């Protein structure tokens, strides 16, 4: 069973991802979703110890995208950032996009 994070952690991460990293959400969706349709929207809706979840819109239809963490299961808040950054880097590699530097 995956680790379940406290609600305050989930709320903070989702606020950050959907407020400051909307382009990253879209990039991750385009890299990991298995669809030929153009993905026009992507909003991170949750995560647990096994991976992140996004609601994506592709070809006008909404669906859920679940992406496992690249480093495997996690159980603490600092690991969430590390794994989201790893997903971003992998998405850039898959799409041939130059990743921006990480702070």
């Amino acid at each position: 069973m995956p680790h379940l994070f406290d609600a305050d952690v989930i709320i903070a991460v989702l606020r950050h991802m959907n407020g400051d990293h909307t382009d990253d959400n879209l990039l991750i969706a385009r890299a990991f979703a298995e669809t030929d349709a153009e993905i026009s929207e992507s909003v991170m809706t949750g995560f647990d110890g096994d991976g992140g979840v996004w609601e994506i819109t592709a070809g006008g239809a909404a669906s859920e995208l679940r992406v496992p963490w690249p480093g495997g299961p996690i159980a603490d808040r600092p690991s969430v950032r590390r794994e989201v950054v790893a997903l971003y880097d992998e998405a850039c590699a898959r799409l041939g996009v130059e990743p921006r530097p990480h702070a």
Side-chain angles (χ1 to χ4, degrees):
M1 176 155 184
H3 176 77
L4 300 178
F5 290 88
D6 291 337
D8 61 327
V9 172
I10 293 171
I11 290 167
V13 170
L14 295 181
R15 184 182 315 119
H16 178 68
M17 288 299 295
N18 295 322
D20 297 336
H21 295 286
T22 55
D23 291 342
D24 297 352
N25 286 335
L26 195 54
L27 190 78
I28 289 167
R30 289 178 175 162
F32 291 97
E34 296 180 7
T35 180
D36 292 329
E38 176 66 25
I39 298 172
S40 58
E41 296 180 44
S42 178
V43 176
M44 191 173 197
T45 58
F47 61 92
D48 59 27
D50 287 346
V53 180
W54 287 261
E55 180 178 303
I56 66 171
T57 303
S63 64
E64 182 178 281
L65 171 66
R66 181 168 180 83
V67 184
W69 300 129
I74 60 173
D76 58 39
R77 185 177 181 156
S79 296
V80 177
R81 181 187 190 284
R82 182 190 70 229
E83 292 304 314
V84 170
V85 169
L87 279 179
Y88 166 79
D89 287 342
E90 177 62 24
C92 288
R94 286 182 178 207
L95 297 174
V97 172
E98 183 68 30
R100 69 178 177 286
H102 304 297

